[in-house]
Amino acid sequence: MNPNYVRIFDTTLRDGEQSPGATMTFEEKIEVAHLLDEMGVDVIEAGFPIASEGDFEAVSEIAKQVKKATVAGLARAIPADIARAGEAVKHAQKPRIHTFVSTSPIHLEYQMKKTQEEVLEIIAKTVRQARDLVDDVEWSAMDATRTPIDYLCQCVEAAIAAGATTINLPDTVGFSMPDEIREMFETVRARVPDADKAIFSAHCHNDLGVAVANSLASLDGGARQIECTINGLGERAGNAALEEVVMAIKTRGDIMPYMTDIDASYLTRASRLVSAVTSFPVQYNKAIVGRNAFAHESGIHQDGMLKNSSTYEIMRPETVGVAKTSLVMGKHSGRAAFQSKLAELGYELSDNVFQDAFVRFKELADRKKHVYDEDIEALVDENISTSSDHNKVVSLLVVAGTTGPQSATLTLNIEGEHHTVQATGNGPVDAVFNAIHELLPHEARLALYQVHAVTAGTDAQAEVSVRLEDEETGRRATARAADPDTLVASAKAYLAALNNLEVKRARGPLQSQEDLEGAARRGP
Ligand code: KIV
Ligand code: ZN
């Protein structure tokens, strides 16, 4: 193997899922794992099997289904944890047990209440136990960056002697700076006998915003595995973002002689999937995958971009799976630009509808600094759906609370006739959406569900956004609805999105990416 090959260890399903509120369902975890495997991730940390029955089930199913990547299960330095992790990954093509113990004085004194000698014994015993179960064992020194270097070297030596094949030195609390972490790896690798028998790994948290910089600096110190997550999800401020690590290595080959096996064209898709299943929005200006990452707003930048994209872009958007650069629509955009944007979004409007949409676009652009694709879709859909808005919410009664299943009794006006159904669900929103599904069966996938409070206070208007996607045609439709009752707003938004999707489906499959790029090259 090339000595500069960097293994990408994705921990979205473990550290990422530890982000408060980012819990994923069993099916969602399997979907994410498949995408990670397809995109070329070397190791998928699928979960923490001892944490719950659900975690165990997800790790074992991922272990069974994943084709190429190593599948790791996390375990504390406790025999029962290690046995459970071994059980969960045993069907993987390439199973790994990842076991960790704290090594810093603060953790030893306050959390573990153990001496350094006791921890050394624990390392030897638990790594040996893991090695009896699988050949691939990763050992992590939790809080490594706040551990005295001499003691850290002793721990690493004990782990390698007991059979660890990967040594992870995490910046658990995101405290380190790039020069320090590089030096830590250099020193440990130089001082520990047999250090060359293990792959060294960096696992950096982002508390001071330098997780990616620290991960890259670790490579200069000799690490050859980076632990990271899609969208930088993870405990507190998160982990190093996979997409940023991968693209930094790819883009700056002139000063970083490293490589990964990641197919970067999956990055945007992975980001969107993880954002949708965790309901964690991606910050607009997030590097690589934020919706502004390839958007140009100022006149000077747009001018440069139209002449040559390298004036203001260091990466091509297609490289990371974005169809093309977007020149942000605003009050300076003309008819031709608006027309080309509509074509890109898959609309073919008659002259009259186009003129009307253009006037309303200009009004909107006067009120709003940036007009995004979703705004244009909403603006046009609103126009189209008034004529086709034949399905409406008549009444909704929801039973929610601690004792499930929650249920929804929903009456819809469907093409002028009232239809009522009662459905249950995993929570009240799920019950409402299931009720709509029973009355209006469809194959659409819920790609986004977001709730915002429009005003302050417990009587605030809730604004709900729903995006549905139709896999067959590639069409998607977004709709928003507001109501003081969040569940009523949810039902209205879902129904409106379904109405819009029906209109779009009738227009046939969305143009392929090649068509769009061709249209973009031809210009407005
Ligand atoms: O941040 C950390 O130290 C961890 C370990 C379990 C590897 O997540
Ligand atoms: Zn972590």
Side-chain angles (χ1 to χ4, degrees):
M1 174 165 305
N2 185 317
N4 284 332
Y5 180 74
V6 177
R7 292 144 193 87
I8 296 295
F9 175 116
D10 179 278
T11 183
T12 307
L13 298 172
R14 200 278 297 170
D15 214 321
E17 218 219 1
Q18 282 172 223
S19 310
T23 315
M24 294 170 233
T25 65
F26 177 84
E27 289 75 20
E28 289 165 346
K29 287 182 187 176
I30 308 281
E31 192 180 352
V32 171
H34 276 295
L35 193 61
L36 294 173
D37 195 27
E38 259 180 64
M39 74 191 265
V41 160
D42 299 271
V43 186
I44 298 173
E45 183 160 62
F48 191 4
I50 197 91
S52 71
E53 198 52 42
D55 247 46
F56 177 85
E57 293 301 333
V59 178
S60 16
E61 195 53 36
I62 290 169
K64 285 180 199 150
Q65 292 195 22
V66 157
K67 297 275 181 304
K68 295 183 291 178
T70 295
V71 177
L74 185 70
R76 289 167 299 183
I78 296 175
D81 273 40
I82 294 173
R84 195 81 173 136
E87 185 63 22
V89 296
K90 74 176 179 198
H91 293 296
Q93 311 267 349
K94 295 188 239 165
R96 173 179 292 189
I97 295 176
H98 175 194
T99 181
F100 69 96
V101 69
S102 291
T103 53
S104 68
I106 303 171
H107 283 213
L108 261 57
E109 182 179 350
Y110 297 109
Q111 198 178 7
M112 312 257 306
K113 303 200 189 316
K114 298 242 182 277
T115 64
Q116 290 192 335
E117 289 66 34
E118 285 170 321
V119 169
L120 281 171
E121 276 170 33
I122 291 172
I123 295 169
K125 242 175 45 208
T126 50
V127 171
R128 265 200 304 270
Q129 183 198 350
R131 263 313 290 264
D132 284 345
L133 299 171
V134 290
D135 288 339
D136 183 348
V137 173
E138 172 168 336
W139 176 77
S140 288
M142 192 180 235
D143 209 12
T145 51
R146 293 193 299 169
T147 302
I149 196 77
D150 289 341
Y151 181 60
L152 185 62
C153 288
Q154 287 178 43
C155 293
V156 171
E157 187 173 345
I160 295 178
T165 44
T166 299
I167 298 293
N168 183 34
L169 303 180
D171 187 22
T172 303
V173 290
F175 179 68
S176 192
M177 285 292 137
D179 277 346
E180 291 173 308
I181 201 160
R182 179 190 35 75
E183 199 180 324
M184 176 186 75
F185 277 97
E186 264 168 11
T187 310
V188 174
R189 287 184 64 253
R191 282 209 212 155
V192 171
D194 287 337
D196 57 345
K197 292 213 168 100
I199 298 295
F200 279 76
S201 171
H203 175 113
C204 301
H205 280 271
N206 204 29
D207 300 68
L208 293 174
V210 284
V212 172
N214 280 342
S215 305
L216 298 172
S218 305
L219 299 179
D220 292 339
R224 286 296 178 270
Q225 174 176 284
I226 291 182
E227 307 201 353
C228 43
T229 55
I230 302 290
N231 296 337
L233 224 56
E235 282 276 359
R236 307 183 308 282
N239 289 67
L242 181 148
E243 58 278 3
E244 296 177 22
V245 167
V246 167
M247 287 312 292
I249 292 175
K250 200 173 166 67
T251 310
R252 295 307 310 272
D254 55 330
I255 54 161
M256 289 188 284
Y258 311 118
M259 74 208 58
T260 74
D261 238 0
I262 301 295
D263 178 348
S265 67
Y266 279 81
L267 293 175
T268 301
R269 205 171 128 199
S271 163
R272 290 190 183 155
L273 174 64
V274 169
S275 169
V277 299
T278 56
S279 307
F280 260 55
V282 175
Q283 140 196 359
Y284 291 168
N285 59 340
K286 163 88 177 59
I288 317 295
V289 292
R291 77 177 187 193
N292 284 0
F294 295 95
H296 302 267
E297 197 270 344
S298 91
I300 294 175
H301 288 216
Q302 292 196 346
D303 177 58
M305 285 299 298
L306 288 168
K307 290 174 174 149
N308 185 321
S309 65
S310 60
T311 49
Y312 291 99
E313 267 178 6
I314 57 164
M315 299 165 269
R316 295 297 302 142
E318 306 89 64
T319 313
V320 301
V322 173
K324 68 179 191 71
T325 296
S326 91
L327 301 184
V328 177
M329 301 295 288
K331 61 181 171 189
H332 300 300
S333 308
R335 276 192 163 68
F338 185 60
Q339 177 89 69
S340 117
K341 176 58 84 181
L342 289 176
E344 180 191 319
L345 295 173
Y347 293 96
E348 266 175 56
L349 304 183
S350 67
D351 274 359
N352 283 350
V353 179
F354 173 80
Q355 293 308 339
D356 178 57
F358 185 66
V359 170
R360 290 189 304 119
F361 158 70
K362 283 290 194 184
E363 284 166 8
L364 184 66
D366 264 340
R367 279 186 280 124
K368 208 165 177 276
K369 189 164 157 45
H370 297 304
V371 181
Y372 291 104
D373 289 2
E374 281 87 345
D375 294 315
I376 295 180
E377 284 180 333
L379 182 128
V380 179
D381 290 343
E382 209 178 281
N383 205 27
I384 296 169
S385 62
T386 31
S387 50
S388 66
D389 206 5
H390 39 274
N391 305 327
K392 291 207 172 77
V393 175
V394 177
S395 69
L396 175 66
L397 182 70
V398 177
V399 180
T402 49
T403 331
Q406 288 71 25
S407 71
T409 306
L410 175 72
T411 302
L412 293 187
N413 179 334
I414 302 176
E415 315 228 3
E417 278 185 30
H418 286 197
H419 298 262
T420 302
V421 77
Q422 190 186 40
T424 55
N426 186 10
V429 177
D430 195 42
V432 171
F433 290 175
N434 286 343
I436 296 179
H437 193 274
E438 280 192 33
L439 289 173
L440 295 165
H442 59 272
E443 299 294 323
R445 189 179 86 83
L446 180 66
L448 175 96
Y449 171 73
Q450 260 174 9
V451 182
H452 300 282
V454 180
T455 51
T458 49
D459 60 349
Q461 277 263 351
E463 187 188 79
V464 174
S465 305
V466 166
R467 178 180 301 148
L468 296 175
E469 278 178 6
D470 176 52
E471 283 198 359
E472 200 188 318
T473 55
R475 296 281 181 185
R476 54 183 195 165
T478 309
R480 276 181 277 265
D483 196 278
D485 185 317
T486 311
L487 295 167
V488 173
S490 302
K492 286 182 176 169
Y494 193 99
L495 201 60
L498 205 57
N499 286 339
N500 291 343
L501 192 63
E502 198 187 314
V503 174
K504 288 185 172 185
R505 267 174 62 88
R507 284 190 232 134
L510 194 59
Q511 284 170 281
S512 70
Q513 187 150 312
E514 290 77 42
D515 293 344
L516 292 180
E517 279 163 14
R521 274 193 297 277
R522 284 192 299 280

